[in-house]
Amino acid sequence: QVQLVESGGGLVQAGGSLRLSCAASGTIFSIKTMGWHRQAPGKQRELVATITSDGTTNYVDSVKGRFTISRDNAKNTVYLQMNSLKPEDTAVYYCNAYALRALVYSWADYWGQGTQVTVSS
């Protein structure tokens, strides 16, 4: 089993900052890509940012220059530093990991339970 646990969400005023964390645990042999997605009410889930095991990052255009994704491979943890937050960033943020489970040796996508981020205007 692989579990992802997010933390760091909350309520913040526009222009403020939040830092999300997501720790992966369980029978993990390796993790290729970790990332953050978000889903606002009435909208489809969208990719926010990803980071590979060698540190290559990718961002959706709407967060470029404001959000920074980082990763601690030794801790199987991914972070999302969110600055200059806007009301349109309000959503449930989900952590994702593409991981290889030990013993089973199969690659699969794993998801966290989500953490709410609310930005007030």
Side-chain angles (χ1 to χ4, degrees):
Q1 293 281 9
V2 176
Q3 298 85 32
L4 301 180
V5 178
E6 300 112 332
S7 61
L11 173 65
V12 65
Q13 288 188 332
S17 298
L18 283 174
R19 187 185 191 221
L20 305 182
S21 300
C22 172
S25 62
T27 54
I28 299 169
F29 186 79
S30 178
I31 300 177
K32 282 187 178 179
T33 302
M34 300 188 80
W36 292 93
H37 295 66
R38 65 186 179 187
Q39 188 166 18
K43 295 187 177 181
Q44 289 189 331
R45 189 175 297 190
E46 69 167 348
L47 173 68
V48 176
T50 61
I51 184 167
T52 63
S53 56
D54 65 0
T56 301
T57 59
N58 181 54
Y59 298 91
V60 67
D61 285 346
S62 60
V63 308
K64 285 180 180 177
R66 300 188 298 122
F67 291 10
T68 301
I69 190 170
S70 60
R71 176 173 171 172
D72 185 333
N73 290 330
K75 296 181 179 180
N76 287 334
T77 300
V78 64
Y79 307 94
L80 186 67
Q81 178 66 44
M82 304 185 293
N83 299 327
S84 302
L85 282 161
K86 304 175 180 180
E88 51 264 43
D89 294 317
T90 295
V92 177
Y93 284 70
Y94 296 91
C95 172
N96 165 255
Y98 186 61
L100 178 66
R101 282 181 59 190
L103 302 179
V104 178
Y105 293 106
S106 64
W107 289 94
D109 274 312
Y110 298 91
W111 293 87
Q113 79 287 353
T115 184
Q116 177 70 46
V117 171
T118 303
V119 184
S120 62
S121 57

